[in-house]
């Protein structure tokens, strides 16, 4: 049974089982529960029991109600509630500031777990009840969890006001605002008084804002007087000082003046969901007597306060109210006061604080001992929350095996039983704390029960051998090993468990893989480790493994990274950087190196040497963001770089004016002004608006009028002008710091008469285009006929033809950008003006967009160096490299990652892989292929260029495809000779060293009975002689290289011609030809926490829940029923197959006996050769040695000798190897050849024979005479219990002498072509007596074969 899965509620049972042949499915339904078990049993010759199980239950254990913050008046009561949801009994205790609460009559715990403080104490010199309280719940079976912190705060009111009303003088009709602000808990209530009388917010001229600011909309004479405020809360009340509002009698400050603020907005920090009011008020009437107009901008764009969205509203005369503030509301807000004289701005920052929120909660997990586990946790909040991990209520102590990854996840390497318990992820920032609970259960590794293990030892996989450290570094080691599976057909594929631990450590880690190599990461330098590799399959684990000891390479001690790095802008061009030295210094710091770069362009990274822990970087660009990092140096060199911090220099006024300012008359009373922003490098901040100043040229006005627009608008229509009058116009750009330089004066004249709209506009005078990759910038000038009304422009464009798409543009616009275009395309642009009468004549222009390109970004990071490509196998290459920015420690402490690019010379596209380590296993490569590798590093928005490329070639592997297009062709004039042609395999995986051609006249025979023709080298044809005319032959072919043999090709059927040369040819293979035409299929499998061929890992799932013993007994009953039924079926099938096979064998013996009369015929499979020539081939699972191949070739006299390949079918694998006598021409020394049973599709290798004489042994094949005294007429095969070979592959010393025989060359097919008759002997005719003796010998051999086969079936 391969897998059995049972699921109910939170239960998950995962079981590994033995063999598979057919399936039986049973559903068991419990009578009183909606519960269905599905048992899938995959069986072989017998039904195996369940190999292992993993059953884990997670009970419910979490907080349902956590305590909340409490504000209590002194001597009043306070209560904290706590409710826990659990399936087991729990105990609840309380902590104050992390220590257990001491209960007494005043502070005690209720029966439901709540905590009560009857009379809150808050004394400076005595114990206070104020602090952080937590609820701690303990379950004996699961562990301990702790709630979030709840503050107990005592109510208070500050003695002094943070801000109180100030005396001021204003003009009648002006506005006035008073502020009253004091700190206290809870937030104080504020009331306003005028001349000791309380003001009501419902008064028509008064307005009291949400945050208690008093606003007078238009000051009347009755509003002058004395004002004060009163603040009160639970603690006490307090009155502010008096502020007097009086009348300003100076007329020079009343009209024709610039706007001036009477209350400016201030920087505000708000909690998400709160209501925020940014106050702004201004006075100062222009020459027309108009009061200033107040506008609000966010990040340079005007806020639309007239929309139906009530998120932003205007409160009072000009204050901005934001209800339910959200994180996206954070930014820079500008209050702008505008009149005809000028405009003034005041900018503030709104910071939104967000309590922690979970993006990812940790999940309960069940892990096996020695495995690695990572509990994930991710939160969102502002300021960024700090994540801490607790285990059973206590902080988790970090070390080499317990680590925080990415600043949020908890990783435990090589878990032990003591690691199980309740884990909590807590996230805390300035405005809140949250926590989430996960349970970690640790299970022992168990593959088989003890009673099963005793019966399965024979089926366990062999141990791994030759375990070596293929590559050793200071931080990782790559292992490689070998294994020999002698029972390939009867055993499941192997899996490997790699265990390693630090010497003398109790914590051991494990890695699961299906490959014969593994890379162990996260090791420590100069540290000894014990490593062992054990094998397993579905029958269990083979613990017979010899551990090896390795020691990682040494590293020079260099400083750790500096901490507490802080960068603060000190001016528009300088930043102050400070830091703290690295902890745990063993050698003194010689100096520091400060690295910084401009994030906006990243053209280059600058550095400077510093001896102190503070430095001011000067000469920076205005309003530019820079990145800073610090590296400490000691006598051994640079240490680990600190984390990067960023800082933006202060903004300033623009250093250049707006560009391309133009002014055109739109009518007799209006002018349209257009412009473009200042260059990017000269804006020095966010452009919050543009100030347009205009005046009549002839009047010589000094100041003129001023209009201010938004920062995102680039045109303005000036209205209310005089007819036929010249105007001078210039534009300035604004930031929060003020106005930049003004542009040159642009002069234009209004029309004498209003524009004519009785005819269509003329053609625009010019059209200019500028193409980019996906956009085109278009600019134009209006028609010459300026007295004709233009309502707008129609811009058309299309690929190859105009006006496929069109856009209607405002008449005031003079340029536009067409976006979302195709790259490398020719566009035709058209532009025409229109009015109410119709459309004018268009003007055309053609341009082509640029080609799509992905240029390498400018980056200050250096590419990795010392890239090495180490070949591990035919499909795997290990890459290692160094990063110069990490210093000599080469330890990664930030979020950088590396991208590896690799490919072959044939492929035009590269493949990419990412790695967070300084090494990577590149797998699934092609054998015997040269690859190119390069690597680059990425950190945040920085990226290096590609490193120098390295090249290496993978090792050879056995061919994975068969030779193609095999075509037998009869030789002209010879009906017994066939020429076989073919093409090489599609995937040779190395240099082809030869081919094996298999052919037979009986397609039902196993592969081991087919005649084999060997072709050396890369020849693509062979001539096969001595075939039988007018006979059907079946041909197959396989290729081999220096590693081994590839798969067998499909069968090609060919019929030899008649003796006269007519007929014959290729016969189409029938569709139902069966398995002979199929290719071998490799079994796919997985086991437990097995790493598959692609490098991914499959881990058995685990769940929670409980299951009763009754349910378990029902499961056992179901499985038992399946076992009984399937056992009966399997026994019946086995008996039937055995009887049928015995009958078939008897028929084959009769068939062979009938062929005795045809002894002189040149058949492919003569009976005498079938039994005598087993000695010519020996099956081996080892790799074929090219040196052994060459040695055999030297012993061959010719390439024409062929011997029949003997052996039995793979179904008879349990038959012991048999031997036949091998003798030399002399009679003093005899040799034993070894014939080992060959499986189907087995690799066929040549066998070297070693002799003490100069002659080569000859196989007695029955074609030579021998004396009657030398041997009996019936000579059985001699049983040899082991293949006696030496290390060179030669047969060892003789076993027993045999009578001498003569040696005659035999012209029969062979595989090995071993020279068994080195000297030619004179040919002679066999006499009748000799022929009769040989036939009697053949009959005896046939009887021996029948007895051996019958013994196999009786087993």
């Amino acid at each position: 049974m391969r897998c059995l899965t049972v699921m109910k509620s939170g239960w998950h049972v995962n079981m590994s089982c033995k063999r598979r042949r057919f399936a039986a499915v049973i559903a068991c339904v419990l009578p009183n529960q909606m519960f269905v078990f599905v048992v899938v049993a995959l069986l072989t010759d017998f039904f195996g029991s369940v190999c292992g199980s993993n059953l884990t239950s997670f009970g419910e254990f979490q907080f349902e109600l956590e305590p909340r913050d409490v504000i209590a008046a002194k001597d009043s009561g306070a209560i904290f509630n706590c409710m826990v949801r659990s399936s087991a009994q729990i105990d609840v205790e309380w902590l104050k500031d992390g220590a257990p609460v001491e209960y007494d009559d005043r502070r005690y715990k209720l029966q439901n777990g709540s905590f009560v403080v009857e009379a809150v104490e808050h004394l400076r010199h005595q114990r206070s009840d104020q602090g952080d309280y937590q609820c701690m719940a303990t379950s004996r079976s699961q562990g301990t969890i702790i709630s979030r912190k709840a503050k107990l705060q005592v109510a208070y009111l500050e003695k002094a006001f943070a801000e109180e009303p100030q005396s001021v003088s204003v003009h009648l009709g002006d506005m006035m605002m008073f502020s009253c602000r004091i700190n206290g808990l809870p937030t104080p209530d504020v009331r306003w008084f005028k001349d000791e009388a309380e003001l009501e917010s419902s008064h028509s001229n008064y307005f009291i804002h949400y945050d208690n600011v008093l606003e007078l909309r238009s000051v009347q004479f009755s509003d002058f007087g004395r004002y004060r405020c009163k603040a009160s809360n639970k603690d006490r009340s307090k009155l502010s000082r008096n502020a007097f509002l009086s009348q300003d009698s100076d007329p020079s400050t009343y009209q024709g003046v610039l706007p001036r603020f009477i209350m400016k907005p201030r920087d505000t920090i708000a909690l998400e969901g709160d209501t925020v009011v940014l106050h702004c008020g201004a006075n100062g009437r222009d020459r027309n007597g108009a009061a200033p107009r107040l506008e609000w901008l966010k990040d340079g764009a005007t806020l639309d306060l007239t929309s139906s969205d009530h998120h932003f509203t205007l409160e009072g005369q000009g204050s901005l109210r934001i209800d339910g503030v959200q994180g996206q509301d954070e930014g820079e807000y500008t209050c702008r006061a505008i009149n005809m004289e000028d405009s003034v701005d005041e900018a503030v920052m709104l910071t939104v604080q967000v309590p922690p929120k979970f993006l990812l909660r940790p999940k309960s997990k069940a892990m096996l001992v020695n495995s690695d586990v990572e509990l994930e946790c991710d939160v969102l909040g502002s300021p960024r929350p700090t994540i801490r991990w607790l285990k059973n209520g206590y902080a988790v102590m970090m070390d080499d095996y317990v680590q925080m990854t990415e600043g949020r996840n908890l990783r435990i390497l090589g878990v032990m039983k003591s690691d199980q318990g309740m884990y909590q992820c807590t996230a805390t920032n300035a405005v809140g704390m949250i926590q989430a609970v996960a349970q970690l259960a640790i299970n022992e590794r168990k593959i088989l029960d003890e009673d099963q293990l005793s019966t399965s030892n024979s089926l366990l996989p062999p141990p791994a051998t030759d375990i070596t450290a293929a590559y050793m570094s200071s931080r990782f080691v790559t292992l490689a090993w070998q294994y020999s599976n002698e029972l390939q057909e009867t055993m499941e594929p192997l899996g490997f468990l790699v265990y390693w631990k630090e010497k003398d450590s109790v914590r051991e880690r494990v890695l699961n893989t299906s490959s014969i190599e593994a890379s162990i990461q996260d090791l420590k330098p100069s540290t000894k480790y014990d490593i062992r590799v054990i094998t397993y399959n579905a029958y269990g684990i083979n613990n017979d493994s010899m551990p090896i000891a390795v020691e990682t390479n040494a590293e020079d001690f260099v400083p750790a990274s500096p901490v507490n790095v802080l960068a603060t802008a000190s001016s528009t061009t300088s930043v102050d950087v400070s830091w703290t030295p690295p902890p745990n210094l063993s050698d003194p710091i010689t100096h520091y190196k400060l690295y910084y770069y401009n994030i906006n362009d990243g053209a280059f990274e600058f550095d400077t040497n510093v001896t102190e822990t503070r430095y001011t970087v000067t000469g920076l660009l205005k309003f530019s963001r820079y990145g800073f990092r610090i590296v400490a140096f000691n006598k051994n060199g640079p240490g680990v770089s600190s984390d990067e911090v960023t800082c933006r220099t202060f903004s300033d006024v623009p250093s250049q004016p707006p560009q391309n300012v133009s002014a055109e008359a739109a009518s007799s009373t209006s002018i349209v002004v257009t412009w473009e922003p200042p260059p990017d490098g000269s804006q020095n901040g966010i452009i919050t608006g543009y100030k347009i100043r205009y005046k009549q040229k002839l009047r010589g006005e000094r100041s003129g009028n001023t209009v201010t627009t938004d920062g995102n608008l680039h045109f303005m229509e000036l209205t209310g002008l005089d007819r036929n009058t010249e105007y001078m116009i210039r534009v300035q750009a604004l930031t929060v710091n003020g106005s930049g330089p003004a542009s040159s004066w642009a002069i234009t004249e209004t029309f004498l008469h209003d524009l004519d709209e009785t005819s269509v506009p003329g053609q625009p005078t010019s059209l200019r285009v500028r193409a980019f990759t996906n956009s085109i910038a278009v600019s134009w000038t209006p028609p010459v006929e300026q007295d004709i009304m233009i309502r707008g422009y129609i811009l058309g464009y299309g690929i190859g033809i105009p006006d496929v798409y069109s856009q209607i543009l405002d008449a005031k616009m003079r340029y536009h950008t067409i976006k979302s275009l195709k790259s490398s395309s020719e566009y035709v642009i058209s532009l025409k003006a229109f009015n109410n009468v119709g459309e004018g004549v268009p003007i055309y222009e053609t341009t082509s967009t640029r080609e799509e390109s992905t240029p390498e970004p400018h980056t200050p990071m250096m590419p990795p160096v010392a890239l090495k490509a180490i070949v591990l196998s035919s499909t795997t290459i290990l890459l290692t490299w160094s990063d110069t920015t990490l210093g000599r420690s080469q330890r990664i402490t930030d979020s950088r990652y590396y991208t590896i690019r690799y490919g072959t010379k044939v492929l035009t596209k590269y493949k990419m892989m990412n790695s967070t380590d300084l090494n990577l296993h590149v797998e699934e490569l092609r054998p015997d292929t040269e690859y190119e590798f390069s690597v680059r590093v990425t950190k945040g928005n920085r990226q290096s260029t590609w490193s120098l490329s390295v090249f290496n070639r993978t090792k050879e592997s056995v061919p994975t495809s068969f030779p193609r297009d095999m075509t037998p062709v009869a030789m002209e004039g010879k009906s017994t000779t066939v020429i076989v042609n073919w093409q090489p395999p599609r995937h040779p995986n190395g240099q082809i060293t030869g081919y094996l051609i298999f052919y037979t006249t009986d397609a039902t025979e196993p592969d081991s009975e087919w005649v084999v023709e060997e072709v050396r080298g890369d020849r693509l044809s062979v001539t096969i002689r001595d075939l039988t005319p007018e006979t059907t032959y079946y041909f197959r072919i396989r290729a081999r290289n220096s590693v081994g043999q590839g798969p067998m090709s499909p069968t090609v059927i060919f019929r030899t011609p008649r003796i006269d040369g007519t007929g014959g040819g290729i016969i189409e293979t029938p569709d139902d030809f069966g398995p002979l035409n199929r290719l071998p299929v490799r079994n796919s499998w997985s086991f437990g926490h097995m790493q598959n061929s692609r490098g991914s890992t499959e881990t058995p799932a685990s769940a929670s829940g409980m299951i009763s013993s009754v349910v378990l007994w029902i499961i056992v009953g179901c499985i038992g029923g399946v076992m009984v039924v399937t056992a009966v079926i399997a026994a019946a099938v086995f008996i039937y197959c055995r009887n049928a096979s015995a009958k078939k064998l008897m028929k084959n013996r009769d068939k062979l006996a009938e062929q005795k009369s045809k002894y002189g015929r040149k058949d492919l499979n003569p009976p005498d050769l079938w039994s005598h020539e087993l000695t010519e081939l020996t099956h081996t699972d080892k790799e074929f040695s090219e040196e052994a191949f060459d040695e055999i070739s030297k012993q061959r006299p010719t390439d024409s000798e062929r011997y029949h390949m003997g052996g039995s079918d793979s179904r008879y694998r349990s038959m012991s190897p048999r031997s036949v006598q091998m003798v030399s021409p002399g009679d003093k020394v005899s040799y034993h050849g070894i014939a080992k049973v060959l499986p189907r599709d087995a690799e066929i290798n040549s066998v070297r024979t070693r002799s003490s004489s100069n002659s080569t042994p000859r196989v007695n094949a029955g074609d030579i005479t021998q004396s009657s005294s030398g041997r009996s007429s019936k000579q059985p095969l001699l049983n040899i219990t082991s293949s006696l070979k030496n290390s060179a592959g030669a047969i060892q010393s003789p076993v027993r002498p045999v009578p001498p025989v003569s040696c005659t060359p035999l012209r029969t097919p062979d595989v090995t072509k071993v020279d068994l008759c080195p000297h030619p002997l004179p040919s002679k005719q066999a006499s009748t007596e000799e022929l009769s003796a040989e036939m009697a010998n053949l009959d005896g051999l046939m009887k021996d074969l029948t007895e051996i086969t019958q013994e196999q079936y009786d087993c």
Side-chain angles (χ1 to χ4, degrees), residues 494-653:
L494 290 173
F496 302 96
L497 295 172
V498 182
Y499 288 89
W500 76 97
K501 68 174 182 175
E502 190 175 344
K503 197 170 185 63
D504 301 328
S505 173
V506 296
R507 189 179 290 270
E508 189 174 40
R509 300 178 61 190
V510 65
L511 171 68
N512 231 330
T513 181
S514 59
S515 176
I516 58 172
E517 67 236 356
S519 181
I520 302 176
Q521 303 283 345
D522 301 323
L523 303 181
K524 295 189 295 185
S526 302
T527 305
K528 295 181 179 179
Y529 290 88
D530 292 330
I531 304 176
R532 56 193 178 99
V533 180
I534 66 175
T535 58
Y536 69 87
N537 59 10
Y539 299 99
I541 291 179
N542 187 344
N543 287 299
D544 187 11
S545 173
M546 292 297 295
I548 66 170
V550 299
E551 184 174 0
T552 52
N553 296 340
E555 282 184 357
D556 292 333
F557 176 80
V558 293
S561 59
V563 295
N564 302 326
V565 181
L566 180 64
T568 306
S570 55
S571 71
T572 58
T573 59
S574 62
V575 172
D576 292 333
V577 184
S578 62
W579 60 91
T580 303
N584 304 323
L585 291 176
S586 60
D587 293 320
I589 299 296
T590 58
H591 66 281
Y592 298 93
K593 183 164 285 190
L594 169 62
Y595 296 87
Y596 61 97
Y597 72 102
N598 190 332
I599 296 179
N600 298 334
D601 54 29
F604 191 74
E605 186 175 43
F606 303 90
D607 62 80
T608 182
N609 291 328
V610 183
T611 56
E612 304 294 332
T613 58
R614 177 180 293 274
Y615 187 79
T616 300
V617 184
T618 58
L620 305 179
L621 299 179
K622 298 178 180 179
F623 197 67
S624 296
R625 184 171 294 278
Y626 285 83
F628 302 88
R629 62 186 180 92
I630 313 294
V631 176
F633 284 70
N634 64 8
K635 64 180 182 180
N636 295 321
V640 181
S641 174
S642 68
D643 292 335
E644 182 180 297
V645 297
T646 61
C647 180
R648 186 191 296 274
T649 53
F650 291 150
S651 61
D652 199 0
V653 297

Side-chain angles (χ1 to χ4, degrees), residues 175-240:
M175 66 173 297
M176 188 56 209
M177 301 178 74
F178 291 112
S179 177
C180 180
R181 189 163 53 88
I182 188 172
N183 295 325
L185 280 177
T187 303
D189 294 327
V190 176
R191 293 182 295 166
W192 283 96
F193 298 86
K194 177 183 180 292
D195 299 329
E196 305 303 329
E198 184 174 356
L199 295 176
E200 300 293 338
S201 58
S202 59
H203 195 280
S204 59
N205 200 38
Y206 297 131
F207 183 80
I208 300 177
H209 288 270
Y210 170 81
D211 56 351
N212 304 317
V213 172
L214 174 63
E215 178 179 332
L216 283 69
R217 294 187 177 94
S218 178
V219 175
Q220 306 298 322
F221 189 81
S222 60
D223 295 329
F224 297 122
R226 185 175 74 251
Y227 291 83
R228 69 191 306 186
C229 65
K230 182 180 181 180
S232 59
N233 65 3
K234 286 183 179 182
D235 186 32
R236 56 194 178 92
S237 300
K238 186 173 180 61
L239 279 169
S240 72

Side-chain angles (χ1 to χ4, degrees), residues 218-428:
S218 178
V219 175
Q220 306 298 322
F221 189 81
S222 60
D223 295 329
F224 297 122
R226 185 175 74 251
Y227 291 83
R228 69 191 306 186
C229 65
K230 182 180 181 180
S232 59
N233 65 3
K234 286 183 179 182
D235 186 32
R236 56 194 178 92
S237 300
K238 186 173 180 61
L239 279 169
S240 72
R241 66 186 176 187
N242 290 320
F244 293 91
L245 178 62
S246 58
Q247 183 177 2
D248 187 354
S249 57
D250 185 1
S252 63
T253 61
Y254 179 71
Q255 191 169 343
V257 295
L258 303 180
R260 63 183 183 277
F261 287 111
I262 60 171
M263 179 173 285
K264 296 180 179 180
R266 62 174 181 268
D267 293 340
T268 303
I269 299 176
L271 185 63
E272 184 182 43
D274 286 354
T275 297
V276 175
V277 180
L278 301 178
H279 296 287
C280 186
N283 289 326
R285 301 176 183 272
D286 59 21
R287 72 194 67 175
N288 298 326
R293 185 179 76 257
L294 297 177
E295 295 180 350
W296 282 94
L297 299 88
K298 182 180 184 295
D299 298 329
T302 301
L303 291 174
D304 184 8
L305 303 177
T306 61
S307 66
S308 58
D309 181 14
H310 298 292
H311 186 58
F312 294 100
T313 56
L314 197 64
E315 192 170 75
Q317 291 291 95
S319 296
L320 178 66
R321 174 170 174 154
I322 308 175
D323 291 305
V325 65
Q326 301 296 319
Q328 60 266 24
D329 296 329
E330 184 172 282
E332 186 179 68
Y333 290 80
T334 302
C335 177
R336 174 170 293 161
I338 308 171
N339 64 14
M340 291 296 294
E341 307 299 328
D342 207 341
S343 64
V344 291
D345 292 350
E346 185 66 29
V348 293
M349 284 297 300
L350 173 62
T351 303
V352 180
Q353 292 185 335
V354 181
K357 299 177 182 178
F358 278 111
L359 297 176
L360 181 64
R361 293 173 177 268
K363 297 180 179 179
S364 297
K365 293 185 177 182
M367 305 299 298
L368 295 177
V369 171
N370 304 129
S371 61
D372 298 344
V373 64
E374 184 163 351
L375 300 177
E376 296 179 319
C377 182
D378 197 9
V379 295
L380 175 70
S382 179
R384 182 174 179 82
T386 301
I387 292 180
R388 295 175 63 247
W389 283 90
L390 306 176
K391 177 194 172 187
N392 291 332
Y394 295 94
V396 175
M397 303 302 295
M398 303 299 168
D399 55 27
D400 293 332
Y401 297 96
V402 182
Q403 307 167 353
M404 280 273 285
T405 61
E406 302 179 16
R408 55 187 181 88
N409 297 338
L410 179 65
R411 178 188 294 171
I412 305 176
L413 306 178
V415 296
M416 301 186 300
K417 198 69 176 177
S418 59
D419 291 324
Q420 69 180 6
M422 303 301 298
Y423 287 81
Q424 289 179 268
C425 173
T426 65
T428 308

Side-chain angles (χ1 to χ4, degrees), residues 863-868 880-884 935 947:
V865 297
L867 178 62
K868 297 179 182 178
T880 65
W881 59 89
S882 298
D883 191 339
T884 56
V935 62
S947 68

Side-chain angles (χ1 to χ4, degrees), residues 1156 1159 1262 1264-1266 1273 1326-1340:
K1156 292 181 180 179
Y1159 180 73
I1264 54 178
T1265 61
Q1266 76 183 44
S1273 61
S1327 64
T1328 305
E1329 294 81 8
E1330 293 173 342
L1331 183 60
S1332 300
E1334 189 60 38
M1335 293 299 294
N1337 181 38
L1338 176 63
D1339 183 71

Side-chain angles (χ1 to χ4, degrees), residues 26-41:
I26 297 179
C28 308
V29 182
L30 300 186
N32 298 322
Q33 303 182 47
M34 296 299 294
F35 186 13
V36 177
F37 292 89
V38 178
V39 181
V40 180

